[in-house]
Amino acid sequence: MSAAAREPVDVAVGVLFDAAGRFLLTSRPLGKVYAGYWEFPGGKVEPGESVEAALGRELHEELGIAIGPAEPWRIEIVDYPHALVRLHFCKVREWRGACEMREGQQMAWQTLPVEVSPVLPGTVPVLQWIAAERGFAGATHGAV
């Protein structure tokens, strides 16, 4: 089936920045598509749910944190073999609680270039946006 014939799945994605300007990446847990790949945390938007509400719910479920304001940033459509996804990226600079990996995933606070790999394809544009905002030149991540 072509991408045009598939309905995209809306996904809320949090780009968490700490006070030092680092951003949080998490690994996809075992048993999920692309297990072991690094991404920004988030998940599917449920019917009738706003992107911000979905992001708050997902980050609580995955990381055990309660987020403050989520700043809508950019939207990117990525066509994976298993799903066509519409990624709603939001910047998050405030949260309560310490990050707990509730799905058996790993976490890493990163700067550019990121040191973890492999990076999920849908994560690459975000690294490029961060690089552009910061005036960073060079590779944002290692090759897969």
Side-chain angles (χ1 to χ4, degrees), residues 6-29:
R6 294 194 296 170
E7 194 62 34
V9 174
D10 286 297
V11 176
V13 184
V15 184
L16 278 68
F17 291 99
D18 70 6
R22 299 177 305 169
F23 48 87
L24 182 71
L25 291 177
T26 58
S27 64
R28 292 190 53 83

Side-chain angles (χ1 to χ4, degrees), residues 24-47:
L24 182 71
L25 291 177
T26 58
S27 64
R28 292 190 53 83
L30 292 175
K32 288 198 174 183
V33 177
Y34 288 100
Y37 278 71
W38 290 84
E39 66 179 352
F40 292 95
K44 291 180 188 173
V45 177
E46 299 296 338

